[in-house]
Structures are given as structure tokens and as C-alpha cells.
Amino acid sequence: MAQEQSLLSFMSEQSGKLLEQTLEHIGLTFISLFIAVIIGLPLGILISRRKKLSGIVLGTAGVLQTIPSIALLGFMIPLLGIGPKPAIVALLLYALLPIIRNTYTGITGVDATIREAAKGIGMSSTQVLFKVELPLAMPVIFAGIRTATVINVGVATLAAYIAAGGLGEFIFGGISLNNTNMILAGAIPAALLAIIFDFLLSRLQKMNVKKLRLAYISFPFIILILSSFYLLPVAYSSKLLAGFTPEFMGRTDGYLGLKKQYGLNIRTVVISDAVMYEALYHKKLDVISGYSTDGRLKAYDLITLKDDKGIFPPYYAAPVVRMDILDKYPELEQALNMLAGRINDSVMTDLNYRADHLKQSPEQIARNFLMAQGLWKEPRNGKKGIVRIGTKIFGEQYILGNMYSMLIKGYTDLDVATKTGLGGTKICFDAMTNDQIDMYPEYTGTGLLVILKTDARIANALIKNNDSVYNYVNDNFEKQYHIKWLKPIGFNNAYALMMRRQQSVELGVNSISGLKKYLEKR
Amino acid sequence: MIKLEQVSKDFGKVKAVDNISFEVREGETMVLLGTSGCGKTTTLRMLNRLIEPTSGKITINGKDILTQPQEQLRRNIGYVLQHNSLFPHYTVAENIAAVPQLLKWDKQKIVTRSEELMHKVNLAASYLTSYPRELSGGQQQRVNIARALAANPDVLLMDEPFGALDTITRASIRKEFSELDELKRKTIVMVTHDVQEAFEMGDEICLMNEGKIMQKGKPSELLFHPANDFVRSFFSSSYLQLVLKTVQINDIWDALEETVTVAQTAVSIQYNEPLWQVMERLMKGNAGNSLIQVRNKQGATKTIGREALYNAISNYKAK
């Protein structure tokens, strides 16, 4: 009950944003649907006329359909940048297959006798198409449009990854922030949209023929109106454009802190960390919320802005481990602590650079590093037990996960199972508390603010001192979750605002206060 | 009216229609008869250019059909398929109006014509707003005929028009249509595999096999003077029935002995009615003692009973 009430209060608190995201979501869905109909319907008609083409066209549309949505969005960035354009194109590609296929099936499914009769009484082939084939195929075509709509409502949540807005902003923000209300505030409206549109279109599909004509005529207009929702929210502007991750947007040590402590007022879009560096590099964005040890900092010649008011807490990385597995296999702790203090900021940036830019595999990077440090040992192939290592879904975590795996195999008789690529802090931590993984690399600041949700007053007092943050999270994790923080690895992967080096020099901005001053000029 | 000269149609190496020629005179009904795959439907579809002939010449009203635009040609030829060829998304009225609309008739003329046709094919005008699926198979076929007649074409092509109907409906609809004035004036080419139907509807029958014409002529010619064994065996299984449907009172007049001389019967039978019909009438009466008055071509009358008819038939056959 308490959960429900707080969800409702969250939604009413955020009602403005919720409405904006919902409208964006509807707009995205229907703009892409509209274009998909404009392209898909004639294509479907064409291949019903020239059946030889049907294999190629349906095959191509089918292949497009199988590309994972995130990957498709990724492909779009070099071509179309970030924002609505690539999102609409990606959605449109997903919507194409059901529309083309159902148009084709609908038309070829018209009874041969009826087509013959139409020709036989003297209709031209255009008349046969518009007077007989299309009207009879309409229910099937509408079923295709219906499928495409539901697919689009779903895939449109991913638009938040490339700064195109929509309800995905809440969903992914909620996942990274461990905020169930935020997830539901995005997920429930998205699900409702899917159900409502599916229902309305099913009614349209089953309507009788007379009413249908009116419906078919009004359908394009309705789509156009719904599409235009997307254009409404784009009203404000500023000189620079910032792309922040959903997580950063909702964190007190993120955008909220920037607004409160610095009074920073900048136009923002929400974007996935997987693509924001590239978007910054390609000048689609001017400021991003990066991680200070990210390899792309080096690869794309970016600089971090100085956090002169100290709002970003330290993010020292350390393995967090379930205490019951440490009790069971005491030798584990020693093996994991072998990495303690070995990797500083610049070493980690370099390792990430190898992964992100030189495209070396995390495993290779991990082995080379351990060998150079004289830590590498042949696996013992022990059968004593299994340690389950989890990692979050970015390069640094993959590298660390591999190092820990090698250390455990080389120094203990334990075997390792890895569960890599867990999408966000919440998912990783939930996996841990639900006994799905035994350990993963975590960052002190994340533990403090995201997992423990430490009160701002206490947190602000703590973040001035690295050790006090570490001690605080370790104590509280042990007490609350029976999880232990082992020794820090050494580097501090803190949040940082980043810009292109060239632009930073041109504008003379090298700190967050400097950025604020620049934005307030004129 | 319709004339085919040495027409062939090849599908690849298969000769679907092999060098056939025939003529259909104005107002007559030509039935293309044969088993499936004999080329009868291909022949029919060449008449409205749904299929183009490989070689040969087809003229309708003296005009080579290949010189006219396809759509224009088809709009002037009525086309009847099986009853499920109605446009399911059109009402009965819209179905009937299909061709007149293509010909851009004005609205009022279309409405008047539709109502007239509904009356002619014995359908209540209230069905005009119904959709085909709301009609029975027989009713649908009436609409189908009305659609074909709507623009008043001189020529009508029928492709197994009663094929999908059950036997009883088929017989009654067929009977009704063979009495329909408007149909009687048309030049009709009809395709069927049903021998009974061919004999009832056809002024002439063209029996086809493997793309060739086996024999063409009046039904009685095919029956009593088969050109070859194929024709003979084709009719053998229903021979007696066909004879009764073909032979008319006039044909057996001499062999017919009067049962009673003083006749006061209600029904009088014309000279050109087939024996089948006479027997049907006789069956309706009480067993054994019903009488019927028949008439020959010159107008003489005889009153006969069942026995007299049977005797005359067996005498006639013996000839």
C-alpha cells in the first residue's frame, strides 16, 4: 500500500514531465508509423504485383527486424546523429515488416474468383486494386499496422538512449537509480499506450464496411495529429546542449546537484552512456556526464571540467562480495585483494582506452595487465566450488570482472561463473541480494547515494573525505545486506562533466563554474 | 455474332486449345462442354481477352476483339462466374451497378435499371442494401446474373455459373433463367461439365476434349448421330435421360396413340416440349389414370396417358 501511494505521489509530482514524455512517446510512435505506412503500403502493393521481388523485399525487412534495437540505434548515430531523427528511422524500420508483409498477404489473399470477376467486368488494373483488392485486404493490412504500432510503442522506450525522449527516460533512469517508482511511472503508461492503441485499432479492424470507409479516410489524419505531439515540447533553447545519462539526470550528485549547487541552467537531453561520447565527438552534444576513467576521454580528445564546488563524491572502485561466500571460502578474500591499490586513474583510463578504442578484448587486456604486474598464474582448474561474478554493462567492469576471474582461478581451487553485462546498478545489486551473483565491482559513491540512498546532509559531510565514504558504505552494507566491501582497487571513477578539448579552449571554459558563467553571458 | 477461326492457345508446350473454329449466331446459346482440362474455360476466357490467343482470329459483331482496348471490350460483354464471385464488400445494389458505373451512367439511370433487374431475377428490392454474405447461394447467383445484365450487353459469357450450387437449387435456378426474357435475347457462350445442364441450356453444344472440338451441333445431333466413340461414350451414362430431354412431342407424334378421344384435361402441352417434361406432368397426377393433352406442330391434339407415352418412346427408339 505504501508503495502504491508513493508511486501515485511520484507521478503527480512529476506530472509535467510524465505528460511531456507520454506525448513524446506517442509522437515518436506515430511519426514513424506514418512514414512506415507511406513506404510499406506501396512496397507491399508492388511486391504483390511483381512476386519475384517479394523474396528480396520481405527478406530485407525481416533482417532489419532481427537487428537488436539498441544496436540499430547505435548504427544510426554516425549517419543521423542523436535525437529524434535516428530514433524515428529505427522505429520506422521495425514497423516496416509487418506492414509490407500484411499488405502483400492481404492482397494476394483476395479470392482469385473475385479478382477474375473484377477484371472480367472490365475494371482496369488500377480499378481492380483500389475498388476490390485494397478494400478486401484492409482488415489484414490493419492487423499489420496494429502489430507495428504495438512494436513501436515498445521500441520507442529505447529512444531515451539516444536523446529522443519518451517514457524510456523514466524507465532507464529508474533502473540506474534503483527507483522502482520511477521505473513504473515510465513502464505503466507505456504498457497502457500499447494496450489502448491495440484496442482502438482492433475496433477499427472489426468495424463494418460502411463505417470503415469513414474510418479509413480519417485514419491518416488521426495519425498526423498524434505525430505532431512530438513537436510540441521542443520549445526552449540555450547555447550549449548537454547530454546526460538517465541515471545522472536523477541523482543528487548529478544534474540535480548541478542545478542546486552551481545554479547551472543548460538545455539537456537524455542519452545512453554507450553513445554519448561518440555524440560529443561528432559535435551533436557539447557537454556530457562522463566517467573520469573512460577510455574514450583519451580516444576522442575530451577534457573533464573541474568540479570546483566538489559536488561529485569519490567513486573508488572495490569488489563487493556476499559475506556468506567469504565465510565458506576464506581464501577468496585474499585472491580478490591482490588487485588492491594496483590500478590508479591513468592506468584505468589506459586500460579502458584499449577496450573502447583499440578494440582489444577485455580478457586479453586483463591477462596482459596481470602478466605485466606479475600476478598471472595458470588456472588450477579447481573443483571446490563456484564463485559467480557479475559486472555492469560497460568496458571497465568487463575488464575488472576478467581480472577477478583469473585471480580466483589461479590462486584458489574455486571455479568461476560470470554474469556480465547486468544493465545498471539496480539490476546488479538486486542480483546480489537475491543470491544470483556472489560479487561485482562497485563504486563507493554509488553505494553511498544509489544503494543506501544516504540522506543529503550526511552524504555532503562524508564526501569531503574518501576514507569516510568507504567506511560508511562498508559498515552499512555489512549491517543491512550482509555484503562486504573489499579493499579499493585504487582508481576513482567519478562523474565528470566533459567537453571537447578544442571547444573548451575556444570558449575558455575549464570548470563547472566557468561553464555556468559562459552560459549566463548574454 | 461470335466467330472463332482456327484459334489456338499454348501454355508452354501444352496446347490448351488446338485450332478450333465455331460460330455462335445472334440470340443463340452455345455450350462448351467437356471434362476439366479440355480447354473449354480457356476458350471462354479468350472471348473477353482474359487470355490472349496464341494464334487465330476472334470476332464479335464482325469486329476483331484484339483491335479493341481490353477494358472497353469487357464492359460490353456480360460475365457470369460462380456465385461467390460477387464483390463481398459491395452491397447488392453496388454489385449490380459495377459495370454501369464503369461506363459512367448517371445515378438515376443506374437505380432504375437495378430495380428493374431485381424484379426480373425475382429478388425483392429490399435486398438491394444487403451484402452478398447475407444471401443464399441461389440468391447470390441471381444477383450475379443481374450484374452481368446491368449494362445490357449483347453477349454474355458464363463460366460454370451454377457449378457451386446444390443440385436442387441448380435445377430450379437454371429453369428460371432459361425462361428469363432478357436472357433469351442474348448471345450466350456458357461453359459447363454438366451434361444435363448443357442439354437444357444449349441451342448448340460444342463437346471438347484435349483442346480439340470432338463434335458441335444441336443436342439431338450429338446424341443420335455421334461423330466418334468419344462423343458416344461421353453421353452413354445418362443416355436415356438425355433422350427424354431432347426428344420433343412432335418427334414421336406418329407413334403416339390416343388414349381417349374425348379429352377435357386442364393442361395442354406444346409440340416443342421435351418428353421429360411431359412425363413429369403425368407423374403429378394420380397413379395410372392421369391424362394430358398434347399438340403437334400443326396444332392437332391428342389426349394421352402414361402407357401411351411409354409405348411411343419404345417405338421411336426402335426406329
Side-chain angles (χ1 to χ4, degrees):
Chain A
M1 207 55 214
Q3 177 75 22
E4 267 176 61
Q5 273 174 341
S6 64
L7 170 62
L8 284 181
S9 65
F10 178 86
M11 287 172 98
S12 65
E13 217 171 80
Q14 300 278 336
S15 61
K17 199 146 185 4
L18 185 62
L19 181 68
E20 182 186 311
Q21 289 188 9
T22 308
L23 291 181
E24 278 174 352
H25 206 93
I26 297 174
L28 266 180
T29 304
F30 281 94
I31 288 181
S32 50
L33 186 71
F34 183 67
I35 304 173
V37 171
I38 288 179
I39 297 174
L41 203 62
L43 258 182
I45 294 170
L46 176 76
I47 60 174
S48 75
R49 288 284 179 274
R50 299 184 207 289
K51 296 230 170 65
K52 276 183 192 163
L53 290 177
S54 67
I56 300 170
V57 173
L58 289 175
T60 312
V63 168
L64 287 175
Q65 195 84 0
T66 62
I67 300 175
S69 2
I70 296 269
L72 189 59
L73 291 173
F75 290 145
M76 294 292 159
I77 293 187
L79 301 171
L80 296 167
I82 56 165
K85 254 190 285 172
I88 290 170
V89 172
L91 286 174
L92 136 77
L93 291 179
Y94 280 115
L96 270 183
L97 179 67
I99 294 175
I100 298 176
R101 191 175 46 202
N102 282 41
T103 306
Y104 175 74
T105 318
I107 290 178
T108 50
V110 171
D111 190 334
T113 322
I114 289 163
R115 189 178 291 118
E116 165 110 4
K119 271 170 84 179
I121 66 166
M123 288 190 189
S124 66
S125 57
T126 319
Q127 286 169 327
V128 173
L129 178 68
F130 284 101
K131 285 174 180 264
V132 178
E133 289 178 319
L134 278 182
L136 289 176
M138 249 336 145
V140 184
I141 295 174
F142 254 74
I145 294 177
R146 206 175 134 193
T147 312
T149 311
V150 176
I151 292 177
N152 270 7
V153 172
V155 180
T157 54
L158 297 175
Y161 272 149
I162 52 168
L167 289 162
E169 287 187 14
F170 271 158
I171 297 176
F172 297 117
I175 291 174
S176 349
L177 292 167
N178 192 13
N179 183 339
T180 312
N181 286 331
M182 197 187 247
I183 298 177
L184 292 178
I188 293 175
L192 284 179
L193 284 183
I195 294 169
I196 291 169
F197 290 137
D198 189 51
F199 173 73
L200 291 180
L201 284 168
S202 78
R203 292 298 298 269
L204 208 54
Q205 200 182 339
K206 286 178 193 134
M207 250 188 227
N208 76 39
V209 186
K210 272 279 176 287
K211 285 185 198 158
L212 217 49
R213 284 183 195 167
L214 184 72
Y216 289 152
I217 293 163
S218 51
F219 185 67
F221 294 101
I222 294 170
I223 289 194
L224 268 183
I225 291 166
L226 289 173
S227 302
S228 65
F229 282 2
Y230 195 71
L231 305 172
L232 297 177
V234 192
Y236 48 95
S237 70
S238 82
K239 280 178 275 186
L240 297 179
L241 179 64
F244 296 150
T245 62
E247 179 163 355
F248 188 82
M249 288 295 285
R251 284 174 73 145
T252 47
D253 61 328
Y255 183 57
L256 301 178
L258 284 177
K259 279 203 287 195
K260 200 169 166 194
Q261 305 280 337
Y262 284 96
L264 189 71
N265 190 12
I266 187 167
R267 187 158 67 99
T268 59
V269 293
V270 176
I271 189 165
S272 144
D273 50 9
V275 297
M276 68 184 172
Y277 294 95
E278 198 169 347
L280 177 60
Y281 175 67
H282 287 295
K283 300 186 183 174
K284 306 293 180 192
L285 294 172
D286 303 301
V287 180
I288 61 168
S289 59
Y291 302 102
S292 55
T293 57
D294 198 287
R296 284 165 290 197
L297 203 59
K298 189 170 166 185
Y300 292 144
D301 197 19
L302 311 175
I303 57 111
T304 58
L305 296 182
K306 191 162 179 281
D307 175 20
D308 47 329
K309 290 195 179 168
I311 65 156
F312 298 135
Y315 282 75
Y316 282 96
V320 291
V321 193
R322 293 170 60 87
M323 289 177 75
D324 48 4
I325 196 139
L326 287 175
D327 293 342
K328 206 168 162 193
Y329 310 120
E331 67 271 33
L332 187 62
E333 181 162 352
Q334 203 191 348
L336 296 178
N337 274 338
M338 299 191 80
L339 218 52
R342 293 270 185 173
I343 305 176
N344 64 22
D345 286 9
S346 62
V347 172
M348 195 64 236
T349 307
D350 182 58
L351 293 178
N352 283 332
Y353 173 72
R354 287 165 195 268
D356 295 334
H357 201 70
L358 304 180
K359 311 294 179 201
Q360 294 174 1
S361 78
E363 195 192 346
Q364 190 188 351
I365 297 167
R367 184 183 298 120
N368 289 345
F369 176 78
L370 290 182
M371 281 176 164
Q373 295 281 314
L375 289 173
W376 201 80
K377 266 195 182 177
E378 281 293 330
R380 291 197 208 167
N381 294 322
K383 293 279 181 281
K384 195 175 163 196
I386 288 181
V387 179
R388 295 161 301 174
I389 302 179
T391 73
K392 298 185 193 179
I393 189 160
F394 50 92
E396 179 171 298
Q397 290 260 332
Y398 286 111
I399 296 170
L400 293 175
N402 271 293
M403 287 184 186
Y404 285 124
S405 169
M406 288 167 189
L407 289 173
I408 293 170
K409 285 179 184 167
Y411 288 87
T412 72
D413 287 323
L414 298 166
D415 199 6
V416 172
T418 49
K419 304 203 170 173
T420 53
L422 301 171
T425 301
K426 180 176 170 56
I427 293 172
C428 232
F429 189 72
D430 282 354
M432 185 104 134
T433 52
N434 286 304
D435 197 14
Q436 297 298 309
I437 56 175
D438 298 313
M439 61 158 293
Y440 73 94
E442 186 54 284
Y443 306 87
T444 50
T446 311
L448 179 73
L449 296 165
V450 178
I451 297 172
L452 294 173
K453 295 196 167 62
T454 307
D455 187 72
R457 215 162 25 83
I458 302 173
N460 285 336
L462 286 172
I463 60 180
K464 307 295 175 202
N465 185 322
N466 299 340
D467 288 342
S468 57
V469 172
Y470 177 82
N471 291 335
Y472 183 86
V473 292
N474 193 17
D475 286 352
N476 280 284
F477 268 56
E478 274 196 41
K479 259 186 268 164
Q480 288 185 30
Y481 304 113
H482 218 56
I483 288 170
K484 186 170 180 180
W485 286 73
L486 301 187
K487 288 182 189 162
I489 303 166
F491 66 90
N492 175 14
N493 186 4
Y495 269 129
L497 292 193
M498 299 178 180
M499 294 177 78
R500 289 183 297 281
R501 185 184 298 281
Q502 197 191 350
Q503 191 181 33
S504 147
V505 172
E506 279 169 12
L507 304 181
V509 171
N510 54 23
S511 68
I512 301 178
S513 296
L515 177 66
K516 176 181 188 272
K517 271 192 208 125
Y518 170 77
L519 288 169
E520 282 174 355
K521 265 191 281 170
R522 273 180 295 166
Chain B
M1 183 78 185
I2 301 175
K3 198 170 175 188
L4 282 79
E5 291 169 85
Q6 294 170 342
V7 173
S8 295
K9 175 68 194 178
D10 304 345
F11 291 116
K13 281 181 182 168
V14 184
K15 275 194 180 306
V17 173
D18 190 1
N19 194 22
I20 64 167
S21 305
F22 65 79
E23 194 174 344
V24 189
R25 281 184 295 277
E26 189 167 348
E28 296 223 313
T29 300
M30 166 69 87
V31 173
L32 302 175
L33 178 66
T35 49
S36 4
C38 72
K40 57 188 193 298
T41 303
T42 307
T43 307
L44 184 85
R45 290 160 56 106
M46 283 193 285
L47 296 180
N48 64 359
R49 293 186 61 189
L50 285 173
I51 295 177
E52 303 281 11
T54 311
S55 63
K57 187 177 173 191
I58 302 174
T59 55
I60 293 179
N61 258 338
K63 266 177 30 191
D64 187 339
I65 59 167
L66 294 179
T67 61
Q68 309 169 47
Q70 288 185 359
E71 283 84 31
Q72 204 181 324
L73 172 81
R74 290 177 194 150
R75 285 169 199 175
N76 292 317
I77 298 177
Y79 191 41
V80 185
L81 290 102
Q82 296 182 355
H83 69 85
N84 55 9
S85 72
L86 290 176
F87 303 129
H89 58 305
Y90 280 10
T91 60
V92 167
E94 288 165 328
N95 265 290
I96 296 177
V99 184
Q101 253 168 10
L102 292 174
L103 294 170
K104 306 214 160 46
W105 284 18
D106 73 60
K107 256 190 191 152
Q108 192 49 48
K109 191 175 168 194
I110 295 177
V111 171
T112 318
R113 177 64 176 153
S114 305
E115 282 167 0
E116 179 191 18
L117 279 166
M118 288 295 275
H119 178 71
K120 280 188 176 162
V121 299
N122 286 327
L123 277 177
S126 61
Y127 282 119
L128 278 170
T129 52
S130 306
Y131 284 91
R133 64 173 175 278
E134 297 160 356
L135 271 51
S136 71
Q139 289 170 325
Q140 286 181 27
Q141 199 52 10
R142 289 163 207 262
V143 177
N144 215 335
I145 299 276
R147 178 174 72 179
L149 292 173
N152 218 344
D154 297 330
V155 176
L156 219 56
L157 306 179
M158 300 183 162
D159 188 0
E160 304 262 11
F162 313 108
L165 300 175
D166 64 86
T167 334
I168 295 168
T169 315
R170 194 189 312 187
S172 71
I173 293 235
R174 204 155 65 198
K175 191 149 177 275
E176 204 176 294
F177 285 158
S178 53
E179 283 160 14
L180 190 67
D181 263 352
E182 197 151 345
L183 273 182
K184 276 183 187 161
R185 292 198 302 269
K186 305 290 178 196
T187 309
I188 298 174
V189 179
M190 180 174 120
V191 160
T192 183
H193 62 265
D194 183 328
V195 176
Q196 305 286 343
E197 195 163 293
F199 273 70
E200 269 179 46
M201 307 284 291
D203 295 312
E204 286 208 49
I205 292 176
C206 181
L207 180 62
M208 294 181 67
N209 185 41
E210 293 178 348
K212 293 194 178 69
I213 296 178
M214 292 290 110
Q215 188 174 359
K216 63 172 189 284
K218 290 198 175 0
S220 59
E221 286 172 35
L222 270 71
L223 199 58
F224 299 120
H225 308 287
N228 52 41
D229 285 346
F230 179 85
V231 181
R232 200 189 324 273
S233 67
F234 196 87
F235 299 120
S236 64
S237 64
S238 45
Y239 188 78
L240 181 62
Q241 203 181 356
L242 294 176
V243 168
L244 294 176
K245 286 203 166 164
T246 315
V247 178
Q248 299 170 351
I249 282 292
N250 201 56
D251 300 329
I252 58 164
W253 187 259
D254 296 341
L256 211 52
E257 281 179 28
E258 216 161 359
T259 312
V260 285
T261 35
V262 190
Q264 284 301 322
T265 55
V267 256
S268 168
I269 299 250
Q270 292 298 324
Y271 71 95
N272 60 352
E273 299 234 14
L275 301 184
W276 184 266
Q277 218 141 340
V278 183
M279 290 178 89
E280 266 185 349
R281 298 280 180 92
L282 281 169
M283 294 293 182
K284 279 182 193 156
N286 295 325
N289 55 7
S290 72
L291 296 172
I292 206 161
Q293 188 184 57
V294 294
R295 211 176 272 274
N296 77 352
K297 212 169 185 173
Q298 286 73 36
T301 60
K302 286 180 182 174
T303 304
I304 57 164
R306 220 173 278 180
E307 205 171 331
L309 188 64
Y310 293 160
N311 289 338
I313 291 169
S314 48
N315 285 342
Y316 177 79
K317 273 184 78 182
K319 274 201 286 189

